[in-house]
């Protein structure tokens, strides 16, 4: 009776994960296959996967028979190259130098495999410049670079943004923010793309860059509560009002000087200068919130917070923002005018009759101050009205993603992630046959389930890791004929 080729099935799931650059998942599946006795002659593949997954000690152990003489040898096999990469990833500088030399002159196909090993080894060895350059080369020489490669390049770009040119730095940060919100899964459905980039930046000491990205994503996608939580965890102080405390204090001081100028014979230039100074402080001076920002990053912070949110008719955001400023200013003016009117017609009526000029000198600066503060608060209050249009935008984007996996995709797709997984699993796949399901790999910390296509019988492996979006990997189902038992004896 034909039986399933287990090694072929597990290897195909590993291959699908490899095409997505799910390095850890590739290594986990191959190690599960080895534990189950289905990894014959796969030592080299397991070692390569272990290197790119950040497990160089495992790789070195699998290739323990490779002698260190290969570091100065003229010829190499993939077995020796992977062994050298494993040593380099553990901080062996001599091995790293040899690994660089090995890749010189390689053709395109082998060169890509070598670059992955070199990038991963350099990254683990703390050679950020070499790793960044290699990841960027992989991106530039690949027709469709994976999200993993793309995110490594984003980290390199943000970490090396300009510290003198606001426009240049803003282009890098803004482009990175847009790339992350358009990644799969969306920020509303999964945090892995954002968390990966932010964590890597922080590991490199660039907490300011990580914070700028979170602020930008939170501005673009107001319903991405997970991103907002990540941002708030990196803040200290009282939020927007705390950050604007210098500007608020300057505005109040300017208003007080205007009042004093109205009551005492101060030169006219004093309140005028105070007003100009208050406007400058408001625009330029902000208290840091958890991250010490340089001059360029401080200016970038105000820019990324002003990103227009992704909503239908988002091109009208400028008009909405102006409307919010006008509305907030008008509300502040009217409220202050009403309160002032009630006071001067009530408790302060006698004082108003006897000292009208003095009362006006105090009241009008306070009313104008309320107008300014109301106008400043308007855009921030506007964000609270965006829930419905922002939700509509997210629903439309999610629907477009799900639409791509309607029907059978076994021919054109190797793997799916995020909301596509649940849509395809519930909308098309069926439960796997018992003999197929029995071959599901046992992965550490992950929950796995096997499904099959009702048309082709193609097996799909669903993997759910903690704090990650689900991944669905296409496999290959091959059945092999059992060898017939030899007859004992013969014909009678």
């Amino acid at each position: 009776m034909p039986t399933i080729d287990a090694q072929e099935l597990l290897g195909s799931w590993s291959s699908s994960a490899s095409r997505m650059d799910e390095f850890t998942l590739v290594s986990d599946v191959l190690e599960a296959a080895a534990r189950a006795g289905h990894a014959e002659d796969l030592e080299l593949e397991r070692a390569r996967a272990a290197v790119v997954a950040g497990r160089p000690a495992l790789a070195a152990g699998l290739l323990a028979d490779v002698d260190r003489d290969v570091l100065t040898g003229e010829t190499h096999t993939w077995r020796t190259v992977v062994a050298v990469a494993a040593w380099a990833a553990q901080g062996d500088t001599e091995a790293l130098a040899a690994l660089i030399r090995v890749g010189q002159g390689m053709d395109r196909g082998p060169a890509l495999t070598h670059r992955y090993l070199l990038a991963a080894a350099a990254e683990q060895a703390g050679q950020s410049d070499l790793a960044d350059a290699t990841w960027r080369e992989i991106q530039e020489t690949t027709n469709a670079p994976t999200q993993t490669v793309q995110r490594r390049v984003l980290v390199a770009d943000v970490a090396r943004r300009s510290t003198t040119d606001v426009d240049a730095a803003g282009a890098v940060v803004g482009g990175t923010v847009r790339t992350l919100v358009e990644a799969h899964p969306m920020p509303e459905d999964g945090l892995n793309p954002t968390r990966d980039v932010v964590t890597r930046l922080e590991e490199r000491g660039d907490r300011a860059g990580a914070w700028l990205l979170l602020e930008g994503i939170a501005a673009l996608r107001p319903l991405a509560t997970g991103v907002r939580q990540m941002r708030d965890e990196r803040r200290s102080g009282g939020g927007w009002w705390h950050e604007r405390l210098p500007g608020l204090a300057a505005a109040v001081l300017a208003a007080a000087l205007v009042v004093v100028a109205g009551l005492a014979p101060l030169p006219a230039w004093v309140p005028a200068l105070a007003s100009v100074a208050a406007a400058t402080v408001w625009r330029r001076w902000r208290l840091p919130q958890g991250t010490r920002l340089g001059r360029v990053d401080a200016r970038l912070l105000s820019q990324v917070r002003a990103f227009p949110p992704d909503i239908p008719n988002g091109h009208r955001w400028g008009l909405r923002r102006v409307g919010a400023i006008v509305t907030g200013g008008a509300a502040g003016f009217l409220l202050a005018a009403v309160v002032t009117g009630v006071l001067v017609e009530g408790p302060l009526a006698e004082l108003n009759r006897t000292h009208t000029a003095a009362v006006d000198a105090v009241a009008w600066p306070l009313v104008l101050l309320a107008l300014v503060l109301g106008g400043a608060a308007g855009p921030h209050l506007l964000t609270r009205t965006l829930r419905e249009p922002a939700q509509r935008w997210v629903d439309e984007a999610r629907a477009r993603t799900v639409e791509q996996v309607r029907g059978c995709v076994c021919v054109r797709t190797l793997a799916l992630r995020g909301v596509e997984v649940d849509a395809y699993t519930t909308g098309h796949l069926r439960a796997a046959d018992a003999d197929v399901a029995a071959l599901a790999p046992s992965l550490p910390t992950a929950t796995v389930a096997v499904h099959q296509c009702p048309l082709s019988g193609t097996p799909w492996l669903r993997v759910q890791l903690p704090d990650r979006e689900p991944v669905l990997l296409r496999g290959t189902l091959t059945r092999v004929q059992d060898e017939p038992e030899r007859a004992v004896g013969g014909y009678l």
Side-chain angles (χ1 to χ4, degrees):
M1 178 179 179
T3 58
I4 297 173
D5 187 335
Q7 182 162 319
E8 175 71 18
L9 178 58
L10 292 166
S12 63
W13 281 330
S14 170
S15 178
S16 294
S18 179
R19 293 288 292 272
M20 295 179 73
D21 282 350
E22 287 285 347
F23 302 136
T24 302
L25 187 52
V26 174
S27 182
D28 284 345
V29 172
L30 288 175
E31 292 309 305
R35 289 192 298 270
H38 302 310
E40 185 179 353
D41 298 327
L42 288 182
E43 276 188 355
L44 178 58
E45 188 64 24
R46 290 167 58 196
R48 188 191 69 82
V51 171
V52 294
R55 301 165 177 173
L58 171 61
L62 290 169
L63 304 178
D65 60 320
V66 178
D67 194 277
R68 287 187 62 84
D69 290 344
V70 300
L71 296 178
T72 55
E74 294 293 330
T75 60
H76 292 276
T77 65
W78 278 116
R79 190 176 183 85
T80 61
V81 171
V82 174
V84 171
W87 300 334
Q90 296 178 85
D92 187 330
T93 55
E94 186 180 358
L96 183 60
L99 184 61
I100 295 172
R101 293 194 302 270
V102 166
Q104 296 169 352
M106 279 188 173
D107 294 332
R108 182 170 182 175
L112 183 60
T113 302
H114 170 268
R115 285 171 187 149
Y116 268 99
L117 289 169
L118 177 59
E123 190 174 82
Q124 294 166 56
Q127 299 290 338
S128 298
D129 290 342
L130 175 60
D132 291 347
T134 309
W135 288 121
R136 185 171 283 108
E137 189 175 3
I138 292 173
Q139 183 185 53
E140 293 173 352
T141 56
T142 305
N143 292 331
T146 64
Q147 286 193 36
T148 300
V149 173
Q150 191 177 54
R151 293 199 296 263
R152 296 293 207 282
V153 175
L154 292 178
V155 170
D157 290 342
V158 172
R160 286 173 172 76
R161 67 191 178 280
S162 175
T163 58
T164 57
D165 188 333
V166 176
D167 292 336
V172 171
V173 172
T176 301
V177 168
R178 175 51 64 185
T179 300
L180 289 175
V181 299
E182 293 179 351
H184 293 292
M186 299 186 299
E188 293 82 1
D189 295 328
L191 296 177
N192 185 56
T194 300
R195 186 188 293 113
D196 184 29
V197 172
V198 166
T199 301
R200 291 182 183 279
L201 282 171
E202 291 178 334
E203 289 174 348
R204 294 170 68 147
D206 188 9
R207 298 184 63 82
W211 187 32
L212 288 171
L213 294 183
L214 292 173
E215 289 283 2
I217 297 172
L220 285 176
R221 307 306 281 268
L223 295 184
T225 55
V227 173
R228 302 177 80 86
Q229 182 178 353
M230 289 176 63
R231 178 201 63 186
D232 293 343
E233 289 172 352
R234 289 157 176 79
R235 276 182 168 181
S236 63
W240 179 75
W241 291 103
H242 174 267
E243 182 189 353
R244 286 292 195 176
L245 193 58
L248 293 171
V252 171
L253 180 60
L257 287 175
V258 172
V259 170
V260 172
L263 297 175
L266 289 179
W269 60 266
V270 173
L273 181 61
S275 300
V276 172
T280 302
V281 171
W282 179 274
R283 184 172 180 82
R284 299 286 185 179
W285 188 9
R286 302 186 180 201
L287 291 181
Q289 296 186 21
T291 301
R292 302 187 66 177
L293 300 179
R295 180 182 62 85
V296 169
D297 285 345
R299 294 179 63 184
L300 273 182
L301 181 61
S302 61
Q303 292 183 13
V304 299
R305 284 179 171 169
F307 283 166
D310 287 337
I311 55 176
N313 295 323
H315 59 281
R316 299 178 181 175
W317 175 249
L319 293 176
R320 295 190 187 194
R321 185 177 177 83
V322 171
I325 294 173
V326 172
T327 302
F333 178 86
L334 290 175
L335 179 62
V338 169
V339 172
T340 302
V342 170
L343 290 176
V344 299
E345 293 297 330
L348 303 179
E350 182 63 28
L351 179 64
N352 185 42
R353 280 193 296 270
T354 57
H355 299 81
T356 303
V359 171
D360 288 343
V362 173
W364 281 109
L366 295 180
V367 170
L368 294 176
L369 177 61
L371 183 149
V372 171
L373 296 181
H380 295 273
L381 298 177
L382 173 64
T383 58
R384 300 185 180 184
T385 69
L386 298 179
R387 176 163 293 275
E388 182 178 348
Q391 185 64 60
R392 191 160 66 250
W393 175 279
V394 170
D395 291 341
E396 291 172 358
R398 192 178 287 131
R400 288 192 297 269
T401 300
V402 171
E403 184 66 29
Q404 299 175 12
V405 293
R406 295 193 185 279
C408 180
V409 299
C410 293
V411 173
R412 58 183 171 87
T413 302
L414 282 171
L416 301 170
R417 69 168 76 244
V419 294
E420 295 175 323
V421 173
D422 292 331
Y424 194 55
T425 300
T426 59
H428 181 70
L429 300 181
R430 62 173 175 82
D433 296 335
D435 55 346
V436 178
L439 295 174
S442 177
L443 306 183
T445 73
T447 302
V448 300
V450 183
H451 306 271
Q452 282 185 272
C453 173
L455 297 178
S456 64
T458 300
W460 290 82
L461 179 69
R462 186 186 192 278
V463 182
Q464 177 68 70
L465 289 165
D467 299 324
R468 285 285 307 274
E469 72 278 6
V471 177
L472 194 63
L473 307 174
R474 192 187 76 188
T476 301
L477 187 61
T478 304
R479 296 185 183 272
V480 293
Q481 192 72 33
D482 290 341
E483 293 185 8
E485 294 183 4
R486 292 189 177 183
V488 179
Y491 291 105
L492 292 175

